[in-house]
Amino acid sequence: MNGVLLALGGTGFTFAMTMLGAAMVFFFKNIRSSDRIQRVFLGFAAGVMIAASVWSLLIPSIDKAEELGLIGWVPAAGGFAAGILFLMGLDKLLPYFHPGLDRPDGVKQGLKRTALLIFAITLHNIPEGMAVGLAFALAADGNNQELLASAMALALGIGIQNLPEGAAIALPIRQSGSGRLKAFLCGSMSGIVEPIFGVLTVLIAGQITALLPWLLAFAAGAMLYVVVEELIPEAHLEAGHLGTIGVMVGFIIMMILDVALG
């Protein structure tokens, strides 16, 4: 199996789903009325990413480590912690923005609110592209059909997650007064990093098989950091139980997809 082509197809799908989510700006005449829907979308995205981190990244990380003769939990725990610390460091060093707030949090760089919003979520899309790329690299490395099905489930799950994420970016931009086309393009382009980093990760992973368990866990840690730091808090702002329901539904759907296909 060609891991690069598989990763390109998988991340291409997730990017297309981001575009589809961003296209929601064309279907809402009153953007303010979409706030509650946005909260549900964010909660759903959180549930999908939690399940994907566990079944499609952490468990394969442990399995791959044991195949290489390592203690399974060591790369899983170490890579997981590294992924969290990596994004925490980026949040401190780079311009950062919470989509639901009216002020930047962190280093001030003089960028406009919209630019900060796009930058922050684009940055957090990088681990998703890495995760899909790594899953396909793992499947191609062992020519394993079961791992390929698991990678496809991960790509499908992240694609489902990207649908509300694209909307979560585009709708606030539209709400701030920008045109629908601009909001759509900004929401769509936030996902372009996924194919880029997905393919790059496959190319690197093919040369350093021993690091695959660490890289898989790294992607899982980074994804869960985004969930805890961003998606869940934003999903619960003035939304009652809608955010919680979204998390539970997203988790259940991703779990079913991963078990059924993997």
Side-chain angles (χ1 to χ4, degrees), residues 54-68:
V54 175
W55 276 289
S56 297
L57 293 174
L58 277 180
I59 293 177
S61 170
I62 295 172
D63 292 341
K64 186 64 177 179
E66 292 176 346
E67 288 178 12
L68 296 173

Side-chain angles (χ1 to χ4, degrees), residues 103-186:
R103 60 179 179 81
D105 179 25
V107 180
K108 309 299 188 295
Q109 297 290 338
L111 297 177
K112 292 183 178 179
R113 181 183 189 277
T114 300
L116 287 172
L117 171 61
I118 297 170
F119 181 87
I121 300 191
T122 300
L123 174 67
H124 290 161
N125 277 338
I126 293 176
E128 297 175 12
M130 290 178 58
V132 175
L134 283 168
F136 281 109
L138 189 63
D141 179 62
N143 199 31
N144 191 312
Q145 295 297 325
E146 291 185 359
L147 290 178
L148 176 60
S150 180
M152 293 173 64
L154 175 61
L156 180 59
I158 290 181
I160 293 173
Q161 177 259 315
N162 280 359
L163 182 66
E165 188 174 78
I169 299 171
L171 291 175
I173 293 175
R174 170 58 179 158
Q175 186 175 346
S176 69
S178 299
R180 296 182 188 274
L181 181 59
K182 179 181 178 181
F184 167 72
L185 291 176
C186 290

Side-chain angles (χ1 to χ4, degrees), residues 1 4 24 46 49 61 81 96-97 107 119 125 152 155-156 178 245 253 256:
M1 291 186 288
V4 173
M24 291 188 64
M49 291 177 71
S61 170
Y96 183 70
F97 196 82
V107 180
F119 181 87
N125 277 338
M152 293 173 64
L156 180 59
S178 299
I245 294 172
I253 290 178
I256 292 172

Side-chain angles (χ1 to χ4, degrees), residues 36 39-41 43-44 232 235-249:
R36 291 170 65 84
R39 303 304 178 197
V40 176
F41 281 171
F44 182 84
I232 290 180
H236 285 80
L237 287 177
E238 300 178 359
H241 296 294
L242 292 179
T244 302
I245 294 172
V247 172
M248 298 300 105
V249 172

Side-chain angles (χ1 to χ4, degrees), residues 163-230:
L163 182 66
E165 188 174 78
I169 299 171
L171 291 175
I173 293 175
R174 170 58 179 158
Q175 186 175 346
S176 69
S178 299
R180 296 182 188 274
L181 181 59
K182 179 181 178 181
F184 167 72
L185 291 176
C186 290
S188 298
M189 288 302 100
S190 68
I192 193 64
V193 294
E194 292 188 5
I196 295 173
F197 279 86
V199 172
L200 287 177
T201 303
V202 173
L203 294 174
I204 295 173
Q207 307 301 320
I208 46 176
T209 303
L211 290 181
L212 271 178
W214 298 86
L215 291 174
L216 287 165
F218 178 92
M223 287 175 64
L224 279 182
Y225 176 85
V226 174
V227 170
V228 175
E229 182 75 6
E230 290 295 319

